[in-house]
C-alpha cells in the first residue's frame, strides 16, 4: 500500500526564515519522506486550507501562531531552532565603528543593547531613512538598506539573520550574540521566540507522522520561552530579551573554566569534584535595559530539564526583584550603616528608567 503523501503549506519567504527552512528540510528528506510543499499567498490562506482539510501541516513563525491560533489547531512540533541572534551589517564590528556611526535599528531592545555597548551611536528608525513603504523583514527592505550603506548614507544596519540571508549579494555581517566564550564583549540576549519554525496541524493530527523532522530540544525551549514571555508585563516585552537553550554539561564547564566563572563551576561540580547530575542542562537568560542603555536588570538560571519549572520561577523572581529595586526611588534614611559613605543615606531618584516619558 502506497504511503500517504502529506501536504505542507507555506508562504513565500518573508525574512523570518520559515519558508527556507521547511523547504530545505523536506528536500533533504525527499527520499524517505512522502511530502510535498505548496506555496500559498498568506498564512491566513494556509490556515483556511488546513481547516478545510486541503493541507496537513502549516509551517509558520511564533508571530503567525499568536495571530491565527484556534481551538481546532495545535502545534504538532518544531523544526530545529535557527540561530536566534540578530546581525549588524557593517564594515567592522560594532566596537570598532567610527564615532557617532549612523546605524539603522528599529527593534527597541536591540537599540538599547547597542547604546549599552556605545553611547555615541546615532541610531535611526525606519522612518528616518524612508523604509515605511516596504514590508517588514522583506527582501526589498534589506536591499534598500544595503544600497544606503553602499552609498555611504549610513554606516550599518541591524537585521534578523534570516532577513540578511535574503540579500542578493552577501556582505560583511557581525553577530550580535550572547558571546558566552568572550565575556569581555558586550552581549545581546535576543528578543524572545526568535528562530523558531512551528509546524501546525488540525487537532488530532498524529505527531508520529512527522516525528523524524521535528526537534524535541527546540520544542522544549519554545515552551519555556513562551511561558517566560507570558509573565513579562506588556509594557516591558519590547525591551526584554529572553533566551532558553539546552546545552551539554561539557560545553558549560569549558566556558565557565575559560571565563573564570566560579559561580557556575560551583553549581555544576560538587565538593568531591564530580559533576552533579550528568546530562544536558537548560540555560535560561532574561534581561531588561533602561531607555539610555546604561542600566540592565538581568538574571540567569542553569539546571537539569526535569527541574525547569523551579528554575523558571527562580529566574522570574530574581529578575523582578532586581527590576523593582532599580526602578524604585531611594528614600533618605536616618539609620547610619557602618562603613557606608554619607551620600548613601541621602534621597536619590531611581537608577533605572525604562520608558522615555518617565520623569527625569
Amino acid at each position: 500500500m502506497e504511503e500517504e503523501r502529506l501536504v505542507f503549506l507555506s508562504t513565500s519567504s518573508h525574512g523570518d526564515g520559515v519558508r527556507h527552512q521547511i523547504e530545505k528540510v523536506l528536500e533533504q528528506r525527499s527520499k524517505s519522506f512522502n511530502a510535498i510543499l505548496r506555496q500559498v499567498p498568506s498564512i491566513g490562506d494556509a490556515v483556511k486550507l488546513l481547516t478545510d482539510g486541503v493541507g496537513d501541516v502549516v509551517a509558520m513563525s511564533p508571530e503567525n501562531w499568536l495571530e491565527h491560533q484556534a481551538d481546532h489547531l495545535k502545534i504538532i512540533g518544531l523544526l530545529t531552532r535557527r540561530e536566534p541572534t540578530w546581525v549588524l551589517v557593517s564594515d567592522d564590528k560594532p566596537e570598532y565603528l567610527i564615532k557617532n556611526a549612523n546605524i539603522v535599528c528599529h527593534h527597541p531592545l536591540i537599540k538599547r543593547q547597542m547604546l549599552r555597548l556605545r553611547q555615541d551611536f546615532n541610531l535611526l528608525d525606519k522612518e528616518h531613512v524612508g523604509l515605511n513603504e516596504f514590508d517588514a523583514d522583506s527582501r526589498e527592505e534589506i536591499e534598500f538598506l544595503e544600497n544606503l550603506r553602499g552609498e555611504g548614507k549610513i554606516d550599518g544596519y541591524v537585521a534578523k539573520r534570516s532577513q540578511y540571508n535574503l540579500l542578493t549579494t552577501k556582505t560583511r555581517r557581525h553577530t550580535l550574540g550572547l558571546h558566552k566564550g568572550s565575556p569581555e564583549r558586550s552581549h545581546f540576549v535576543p528578543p524572545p521566540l526568535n528562530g523558531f519554525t512551528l509546524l501546525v496541524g488540525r487537532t488530532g493530527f498524529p505527531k508520529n507522522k512527522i516525528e523524524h523532522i521535528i526537534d524535541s530540544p527546540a520544542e522544549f525551549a519554545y515552551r519555556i520561552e513562551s511561558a517566560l514571555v507570558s509573565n513579562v508585563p506588556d509594557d516591558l516585552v519590547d525591551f526584554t530579551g529572553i533566551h532558553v537553550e539546552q546545552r551539554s554539561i561539557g560545553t558549560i564547564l569549558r566556558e565557565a573554566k575559560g571565563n573564570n566563572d566560579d559561580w557556575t563551576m560551583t553549581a555544576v561540580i560538587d565538593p568531591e569534584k564530580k559533576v552533579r547530575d550528568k546530562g544536558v542542562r537548560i540555560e535560561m537568560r532574561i534581561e531588561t535595559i533602561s531607555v539610555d542603555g546604561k542600566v540592565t536588570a538581568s538574571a540567569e538560571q542553569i539546571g537539569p530539564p526535569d527541574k525547569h519549572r523551579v528554575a523558571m520561577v527562580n529566574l522570574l523572581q530574581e529578575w523582578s526583584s532586581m527590576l523593582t529595586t532599580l526602578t524604585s526611588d531611594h528614600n533618605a534614611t536616618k539609620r547610619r550603616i557602618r562603613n557606608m559613605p554619607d551620600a548613601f543615606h541621602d534621597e536619590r531618584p531611581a537608577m533605572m528608567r525604562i520608558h522615555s516619558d518617565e520623569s527625569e
Side-chain angles (χ1 to χ4, degrees):
M1 185 176 178
E2 187 178 354
E3 183 183 0
E4 177 188 1
R5 170 176 283 191
L6 296 179
V7 177
F8 284 74
L9 303 173
S10 177
T11 63
S12 59
S13 296
H14 291 305
D16 58 12
V18 171
R19 169 56 185 262
H20 177 74
Q21 187 178 20
I22 187 61
E23 192 171 33
K24 186 176 180 180
V25 167
L26 294 183
E27 183 180 337
Q28 291 173 339
R29 301 278 186 165
S30 59
K31 293 183 178 179
S32 59
F33 187 35
N34 190 9
I36 186 174
L37 179 63
R38 290 181 179 169
Q39 181 173 309
V40 293
S42 69
I43 287 295
D45 294 319
V47 169
K48 186 177 186 306
L49 290 173
L50 180 66
T51 301
D52 294 341
V54 178
D56 299 297
V57 179
V58 177
M60 64 174 70
S61 67
E63 292 82 4
N64 294 150
W65 175 243
L66 286 175
E67 184 179 354
H68 295 283
Q69 60 183 315
D71 291 339
H72 66 283
L73 303 175
K74 71 169 185 177
I75 299 172
I76 308 167
L78 282 82
L79 298 181
T80 301
R81 189 177 195 178
R82 290 168 279 108
E83 176 57 54
T85 53
W86 291 41
V87 298
L88 169 68
V89 181
S90 62
D91 289 336
D92 217 333
K93 292 179 179 180
E95 293 92 336
Y96 307 127
L97 285 175
I98 62 171
K99 187 177 181 180
N100 301 318
N102 293 311
I103 300 173
V104 178
C105 179
H106 67 273
H107 197 286
L109 169 65
I110 301 179
K111 270 186 173 181
R112 297 179 182 210
Q113 291 172 332
M114 292 292 283
L115 285 176
R116 178 173 62 189
L117 172 62
R118 281 180 54 178
Q119 287 283 306
D120 66 290
F121 279 148
N122 182 27
L123 301 175
L124 306 172
D125 291 320
K126 287 185 176 183
E127 55 266 24
H128 292 143
V129 292
L131 275 180
N132 288 338
E133 60 183 279
F134 301 106
D135 291 336
D137 303 328
S138 65
R139 184 190 304 274
E140 293 76 16
E141 181 184 68
I142 197 166
E143 293 286 3
F144 182 81
L145 284 169
E146 182 56 28
N147 287 335
L148 289 178
R149 194 182 73 85
E151 294 169 358
K153 295 180 179 178
I154 59 174
D155 299 298
Y157 55 89
V158 174
K160 292 179 181 177
R161 187 179 298 269
S162 52
Q163 187 186 17
Y164 167 81
N165 291 333
L166 296 177
L167 273 175
T168 305
T169 303
K170 292 297 183 285
T171 184
R172 292 193 67 183
R173 55 111 174 99
H174 310 279
T175 298
L176 302 178
L178 295 167
H179 302 307
K180 298 171 185 174
S182 304
E184 73 281 0
R185 295 194 65 189
S186 184
H187 65 276
F188 292 77
V189 179
L193 304 177
N194 271 232
F196 289 117
T197 294
L198 281 54
L199 301 179
V200 175
R202 293 180 296 276
T203 300
F205 182 92
K207 189 172 186 174
N208 61 2
K209 285 190 175 184
I210 62 168
E211 61 184 356
H212 56 295
I213 67 169
I214 59 180
D215 187 82
S216 297
E219 189 173 353
F220 195 46
Y222 172 78
R223 196 164 70 242
I224 295 175
E225 278 195 28
S226 297
L228 290 173
V229 173
S230 68
N231 281 279
V232 175
D234 291 342
D235 65 324
L236 298 183
V237 171
D238 286 345
F239 317 119
T240 300
I242 296 176
H243 184 252
V244 176
E245 183 180 11
Q246 186 170 296
R247 312 182 72 208
S248 71
I249 193 67
T251 301
I252 294 173
L253 283 173
R254 283 193 296 273
E255 283 181 0
K257 187 175 182 180
N259 298 339
N260 295 316
D261 185 351
D262 294 335
W263 182 88
T264 298
M265 295 292 288
T266 303
V268 175
I269 297 179
D270 64 22
E272 297 180 359
K273 306 298 182 183
K274 294 181 180 180
V275 175
R276 307 176 193 266
D277 303 322
K278 294 181 180 180
V280 298
R281 293 290 190 275
I282 299 298
E283 185 177 81
M284 308 179 191
R285 296 169 182 254
I286 184 171
E287 71 172 20
T288 301
I289 306 175
S290 64
V291 67
D292 57 7
K294 295 181 178 180
V295 184
T296 301
S298 63
E300 179 180 345
Q301 286 282 321
I302 300 175
D306 60 346
K307 296 180 181 178
H308 71 276
R309 289 185 178 83
V310 174
M312 282 175 56
V313 171
N314 291 338
L315 181 84
L316 289 169
Q317 286 180 343
E318 182 181 344
W319 167 76
S320 180
S321 176
M322 186 177 298
L323 202 60
T324 298
T325 300
L326 292 173
T327 56
S328 299
D329 292 334
H330 180 80
N331 297 321
T333 175
K334 294 181 179 179
R335 188 170 69 90
R336 316 307 285 182
I337 299 178
R338 188 178 179 182
N339 296 327
M340 294 300 290
D342 291 339
F344 176 81
H345 307 92
D346 297 337
E347 181 179 356
R348 295 190 307 278
M351 294 177 62
M352 182 179 189
R353 283 195 310 119
I354 296 178
H355 303 288
S356 57
D357 58 352
E358 292 177 15
S359 59
E360 297 290 345

